[in-house]
Amino acid sequence: MAQTLDSTPQADGFRMPAEFEPHAGTWMAWPERTDNWRLGAGPAQQAFAAVASAIAAAEPVTVAASTRQFENARSRLPAAVRVVEISTNDAWMRDTGPTFVIDRKGRRRGVDWIFNAWGGLDGGLYFPWDQDDLVAHKVLEIEGADRYRAPFVLEGGAIHVDGQGTLLTTEECLLNPNRNPQLGRADIESLLQRYLGIEQVVWLGRGVYNDETDGHVDNLCCFTAPGEVALSWCNDRDDPQYEISRDAYERLMAERDARGRPFKVHKLPQPGPLVMTVAEAEGVDTGEGAKPRLAGDRMAGSYVNFYVANGRVVMPLLDSRRDRRARQVLAEAFPGREVVGVPAREILLGGGNIHCITQQVPAPRRR
Amino acid sequence: MAQTLDSTPQADGFRMPAEFEPHAGTWMAWPERTDNWRLGAGPAQQAFAAVASAIAAAEPVTVAASTRQFENARSRLPAAVRVVEISTNDAWMRDTGPTFVIDRKGRRRGVDWIFNAWGGLDGGLYFPWDQDDLVAHKVLEIEGADRYRAPFVLEGGAIHVDGQGTLLTTEECLLNPNRNPQLGRADIESLLQRYLGIEQVVWLGRGVYNDETDGHVDNLCCFTAPGEVALSWCNDRDDPQYEISRDAYERLMAERDARGRPFKVHKLPQPGPLVMTVAEAEGVDTGEGAKPRLAGDRMAGSYVNFYVANGRVVMPLLDSRRDRRARQVLAEAFPGREVVGVPAREILLGGGNIHCITQQVPAPRRR
């Protein structure tokens, strides 16, 4: 029995656990819109299926597919992956799915944020987004989890938490007037506290260069353990990413987390720079409803856009000159886990990566 | 982890339990097509919600709704009812949902029959039926139950079993050339044995008069206990139902079940006769894709179209002059259960009743 609650997670004793805490499973969605995914979405579907397989080896995976794609998704995904019908506008479960919260009694609930396609009519990436805004509710019905409908716009990729009171985000995204123009920094902090049970917000500035989400933190910087983060890093002073990463680093050095710890930073090399090829851009259908994909577009590639599953880290393979070093850094940051790479350029072509297309369901447990 | 199996339930040691055996829950679907349900399907939705509520008081209920109706269904159903997105062509979960089978180890699987809208292009009730034919698979994915895809056309409402080897059906439906023209009586019996784990088929002749399903047995006759059935009965020699019910009775008297028992018959009075009013017919949208609804149509009303939930029987209320007697008969036939009546004319207007819109999920248990 699941219902929509009028209270807040904080008031009810719930908190968002860190991604590296134990999972009950993972949700994903199936890509299909041909005005964002080239060649009828086939190459993207292959990449998504590889991600689902890599995670399913570690924990249960459910993939949401529209009824048009149900049979195709079912046939292209391994039997271990559950496929359910959910209509979507696109396949970014991190941003459209619920953010799960847990309490000390082992209960699990979900926060359903208002979704406006990363900026609504003012810079959003497609129109309409009505189906995406229903995804979190539908996931929670299937999970049998009670639901909080948060009264503000947020995407799951815009936040990371350490599970011990600290939240990481960017000013570029959360203070962008195309999300919650009525809310100031203090209002946002207060809402994050109430809906995620956190105590402190660590503000970074801009996200990865040319990131069309308006700088989601999950492409720039994430927790790898309490007191430790991974940060996308660029050594080329002439690259626009250089200043962004350096600013983030300096802010992190100047901050302490909710428990008073300084941050240890694992620097992940930036892949590329990566740009869309003519062949890649030409494979995307033209349509009024979505942001055009153009040859030469600088893509916001980042190794930070990995996913932490039970016992393994699933990382994007994006650049043969950098993949190995990135894998090394992740192996050091996650000593207890296997690091599994999945070719992910086809996901990046659509505007995000492995973290953007996944959403964890925490395992409820007693502390 | 659910997968589609190449074997058969019988070969794997699975059988279909009787509806009166313990349930884990019930599936329903949400009505919306306005060329079958009058006044934008509103009155039907109210009736379906009342049925869902009556069952949810006894066991978990899941309602499948299209994305167009997801929010409306969610708001009109009690919080105890789970709502999930599943596209449909109409709302007859008995006929489009899976038939669950169980084994002695407590496992549960599902049979996914081929569905052709009660006759395909030769007398079927609407076109297309592609979404309905996917419903069973989608239900099984959510239930996490392995699936058998049966190689022939059947609807759940065309069969009833006693859970002890006996299956009840009608010649009018199962031998109708608009279902499986390539299969004779012996072929059908063999397939029913293999896919439902039954041993003996008891053939009745025609179903209820003017039943547009081609005589589904679940509107005419059903098991109430091993060795006992309920039969829709008509005492008016001038009514076309008279001969049908009498023939069924005589066949039952001449038969023995799979364990050699004679049948005890509980006669349920026929309501009405019930005909569609001008106002009712006028409220239905006109469309090429569905059977027209005409004022004066004789409807196939029957009290046999009830549902057996854990601890209660949910029966249709159809005729103030007959409801009480029908309730008495059911109370006698189900001595351990509460009989709950739900006003159901709005369901009958769409072509079926409470049994047609429900599908049980048996509780797996060890024998």
Side-chain angles (χ1 to χ4, degrees):
Chain A
M1 172 163 171
Q3 53 191 315
T4 296
L5 306 167
D6 289 329
S7 53
T8 66
Q10 185 187 48
D12 296 341
F14 283 74
R15 69 172 180 100
M16 179 184 176
E19 190 173 316
F20 47 73
E21 294 184 49
H23 294 185
T26 300
W27 278 80
M28 296 176 62
W30 186 247
E32 74 169 278
R33 64 183 297 159
T34 56
D35 58 1
N36 192 47
W37 304 102
R38 72 189 184 116
L39 304 175
Q45 290 172 359
Q46 193 172 20
F48 276 56
V51 170
S53 295
I55 300 169
E59 59 190 59
V61 175
T62 302
V63 174
S66 79
T67 191
R68 290 178 300 281
Q69 281 289 320
F70 179 81
E71 290 168 288
N72 187 45
R74 181 61 286 173
S75 74
R76 291 177 189 273
L77 289 162
V81 171
R82 177 170 68 160
V83 180
V84 301
E85 179 184 348
I86 292 183
S87 298
T88 58
N89 300 108
D90 204 357
W92 308 101
M93 186 58 82
R94 174 65 51 188
D95 295 340
T96 62
T99 298
F100 286 95
V101 291
I102 58 176
D103 76 354
R104 287 168 189 242
K105 294 178 188 157
R107 289 179 297 180
R108 182 169 55 214
R109 295 177 177 169
V111 183
D112 177 356
W113 314 102
I114 298 174
F115 180 79
N116 76 349
W118 309 275
L121 300 179
D122 172 22
L125 299 177
Y126 46 71
F127 176 87
W129 54 83
D130 58 323
Q131 297 306 308
D132 278 351
D133 197 29
L134 292 173
V135 168
H137 197 169
K138 291 173 180 172
V139 168
L140 293 172
E141 287 282 324
I142 291 178
E143 290 287 340
D146 285 338
R147 164 184 180 253
Y148 300 98
R149 175 64 164 173
F152 61 110
V153 174
L154 191 79
E155 307 95 38
I159 53 165
H160 261 299
V161 299
D162 65 359
Q164 300 186 357
T166 319
L167 181 142
L168 206 55
T169 190
T170 61
E171 294 167 348
E172 179 185 354
C173 183
L174 263 70
L175 303 185
N176 196 309
N178 67 9
R179 301 302 210 282
N180 300 289
Q182 76 287 9
L183 301 175
R185 183 188 293 252
D187 304 317
I188 297 274
E189 289 193 356
S190 166
L191 284 165
L192 293 171
Q193 285 165 12
R194 285 154 60 199
Y195 281 88
L196 294 169
I198 55 106
E199 294 149 34
Q200 188 193 339
V201 177
V202 174
W203 290 95
L204 303 182
R206 283 181 291 158
V208 167
Y209 175 69
N210 218 27
D211 189 325
E212 63 195 26
T213 64
D214 300 315
H216 270 187
V217 76
D218 75 340
N219 206 30
L220 176 72
C221 186
C222 68
F223 287 105
T224 59
E228 301 187 25
V229 300
L231 175 65
S232 190
W233 193 252
C234 173
N235 282 317
D236 177 1
R237 287 175 181 269
D238 296 331
D239 190 285
Q241 184 58 38
Y242 180 85
E243 263 309 319
I244 295 171
S245 292
R246 190 182 156 135
D247 175 67
Y249 183 81
E250 286 171 359
R251 291 187 187 221
L252 287 162
M253 288 298 103
E255 284 273 10
R256 295 292 179 273
D257 71 13
R259 299 214 176 164
R261 290 173 291 224
F263 288 104
K264 175 175 176 184
V265 178
H266 302 274
K267 292 178 180 169
L268 277 166
Q270 172 179 263
L274 304 172
V275 298
M276 194 170 293
T277 67
V278 172
E280 287 166 344
E282 279 184 346
V284 179
D285 289 357
T286 300
E288 282 288 317
K291 184 176 189 292
R293 299 289 175 201
L294 304 175
D297 277 352
R298 163 85 176 249
M299 297 188 290
S302 165
Y303 291 112
V304 171
N305 214 309
F306 59 82
Y307 181 64
V308 186
N310 291 340
R312 53 170 52 190
V313 172
V314 182
M315 68 168 283
L317 301 179
L318 291 167
D319 177 352
S320 56
R321 296 170 308 129
R322 309 259 193 238
D323 289 346
R324 211 164 91 170
R325 175 65 191 144
R327 185 194 290 264
Q328 270 177 357
V329 173
L330 288 175
E332 286 159 22
F334 292 98
R337 297 181 207 245
E338 181 186 9
V339 180
V340 179
V342 175
R345 184 176 174 94
E346 293 292 341
I347 308 173
L348 181 61
L349 291 173
N353 226 300
I354 292 174
H355 194 259
C356 305
I357 65 171
T358 51
Q359 182 61 257
Q360 68 274 9
V361 184
R365 44 167 197 163
R366 296 163 196 283
R367 293 204 286 193
Chain B
M1 170 163 172
Q3 53 191 315
T4 296
L5 306 167
D6 290 330
S7 52
T8 66
Q10 185 187 49
D12 296 341
F14 283 73
R15 68 171 180 101
M16 179 184 177
E19 191 172 316
F20 48 73
E21 294 184 48
H23 294 184
T26 299
W27 278 80
M28 296 176 62
W30 187 248
E32 74 169 278
R33 64 182 299 158
T34 56
D35 58 0
N36 191 47
W37 304 102
R38 70 187 184 118
L39 305 175
Q45 290 172 357
Q46 192 171 20
F48 276 56
V51 170
S53 295
I55 300 169
E59 59 189 59
V61 175
T62 303
V63 173
S66 79
T67 191
R68 290 178 300 283
Q69 281 288 319
F70 179 81
E71 291 168 287
N72 187 44
R74 181 60 287 172
S75 74
R76 290 176 189 273
L77 289 161
V81 171
R82 177 169 70 159
V83 180
V84 302
E85 180 184 346
I86 292 183
S87 298
T88 58
N89 300 108
D90 205 357
W92 309 101
M93 186 58 83
R94 174 66 51 188
D95 295 339
T96 62
T99 298
F100 285 95
V101 291
I102 59 176
D103 76 353
R104 286 168 189 243
K105 293 178 188 156
R107 289 179 297 180
R108 183 170 53 215
R109 295 177 176 169
V111 183
D112 177 355
W113 315 102
I114 298 173
F115 180 78
N116 76 350
W118 310 275
L121 300 179
D122 172 22
L125 299 178
Y126 47 71
F127 176 88
W129 54 83
D130 58 323
Q131 297 305 310
D132 278 351
D133 197 31
L134 292 172
V135 168
H137 197 169
K138 292 172 180 172
V139 168
L140 293 171
E141 287 282 323
I142 292 178
E143 290 287 339
D146 285 338
R147 165 183 179 253
Y148 299 98
R149 175 64 165 173
F152 62 110
V153 174
L154 191 79
E155 307 95 39
I159 52 164
H160 261 300
V161 299
D162 66 357
Q164 300 187 356
T166 319
L167 180 142
L168 205 56
T169 191
T170 61
E171 294 168 347
E172 180 186 354
C173 183
L174 264 70
L175 303 184
N176 196 309
N178 67 9
R179 301 303 211 281
N180 300 289
Q182 76 287 10
L183 301 176
R185 182 188 295 253
D187 303 317
I188 298 275
E189 288 193 355
S190 167
L191 284 164
L192 293 171
Q193 285 165 13
R194 285 154 61 198
Y195 281 87
L196 294 170
I198 56 105
E199 293 148 34
Q200 188 193 338
V201 178
V202 173
W203 290 95
L204 303 183
R206 284 181 289 157
V208 166
Y209 175 68
N210 218 26
D211 188 325
E212 64 196 26
T213 65
D214 301 315
H216 270 187
V217 76
D218 76 339
N219 207 29
L220 176 72
C221 185
C222 68
F223 287 105
T224 58
E228 300 186 25
V229 300
L231 175 65
S232 190
W233 194 252
C234 174
N235 282 316
D236 177 1
R237 287 175 180 267
D238 296 331
D239 190 284
Q241 185 58 36
Y242 180 85
E243 263 309 319
I244 295 170
S245 292
R246 189 180 156 138
D247 175 68
Y249 183 80
E250 286 171 359
R251 292 186 187 222
L252 287 163
M253 287 298 104
E255 284 272 10
R256 295 292 179 272
D257 71 14
R259 299 215 176 162
R261 289 173 291 223
F263 288 105
K264 175 176 175 184
V265 178
H266 302 274
K267 292 178 180 169
L268 277 166
Q270 173 180 262
L274 304 173
V275 298
M276 194 170 292
T277 67
V278 172
E280 287 166 345
E282 279 184 347
V284 179
D285 288 358
T286 300
E288 281 288 317
K291 184 176 189 289
R293 298 288 174 201
L294 304 175
D297 278 352
R298 162 85 176 250
M299 298 188 289
S302 165
Y303 291 112
V304 171
N305 214 310
F306 59 83
Y307 181 64
V308 186
N310 291 340
R312 54 170 51 189
V313 172
V314 182
M315 68 169 283
L317 301 179
L318 292 167
D319 177 352
S320 56
R321 297 171 307 130
R322 309 259 193 238
D323 289 346
R324 210 164 92 170
R325 174 66 190 144
R327 186 194 289 264
Q328 272 178 355
V329 173
L330 288 174
E332 287 160 21
F334 292 98
R337 297 182 206 244
E338 181 186 9
V339 179
V340 179
V342 175
R345 184 176 174 95
E346 293 293 340
I347 308 173
L348 181 61
L349 291 173
N353 226 300
I354 293 174
H355 195 259
C356 306
I357 66 171
T358 51
Q359 182 62 256
Q360 69 273 10
V361 184
R365 44 166 198 164
R366 296 161 198 283
R367 293 202 288 191

